[in-house]
């Protein structure tokens, strides 16, 4: 599965300006549609393609 993230020049994933959620999307079209909500005026952004290679189960604490 591939995910798309909006990242700044420090390779940090952008956060929504009011909600604080991360700018990670399932489709590139969706990222482009919503990117303006995540961009700060003083930073430059690029799109990063994230490939999920492995998913692990979380162990439950007793």
């Amino acid at each position: 599965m591939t995910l798309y993230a909006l990242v700044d020049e420090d390779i940090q994933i952008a956060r929504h300006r009011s909600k604080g959620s991360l700018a990670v999307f399932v489709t590139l079209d969706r990222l482009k549609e919503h990117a303006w909500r995540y961009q700060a005026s003083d930073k430059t952004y690029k799109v990063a393609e994230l490939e999920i290679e492995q998913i692990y189960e979380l162990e439950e604490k007793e």
Side-chain angles (χ1 to χ4, degrees):
M1 175 182 212
T2 302
L3 298 174
Y4 301 92
L6 191 64
V7 297
D8 64 17
E9 56 272 352
D10 297 323
I11 315 299
Q12 298 295 313
I13 298 175
R15 291 189 170 272
H16 193 280
R17 290 186 286 178
S18 62
K19 296 179 184 177
S21 57
L22 295 175
V24 178
F25 298 89
V26 176
T27 67
L28 189 54
D29 289 337
R30 198 80 168 140
L31 182 145
K32 290 177 180 178
E33 181 181 330
H34 294 279
W36 66 272
R37 296 178 178 162
Y38 294 85
Q39 296 177 351
S41 60
D42 61 338
K43 293 189 177 185
T44 302
Y45 294 91
K46 293 183 178 182
V47 175
E49 186 177 281
L50 310 173
E51 188 68 36
I52 297 174
E53 293 183 18
Q54 185 71 33
I55 296 177
Y56 300 96
E57 295 288 330
L58 291 174
E59 294 181 19
E60 293 185 24
K61 291 188 176 188
E62 296 180 9

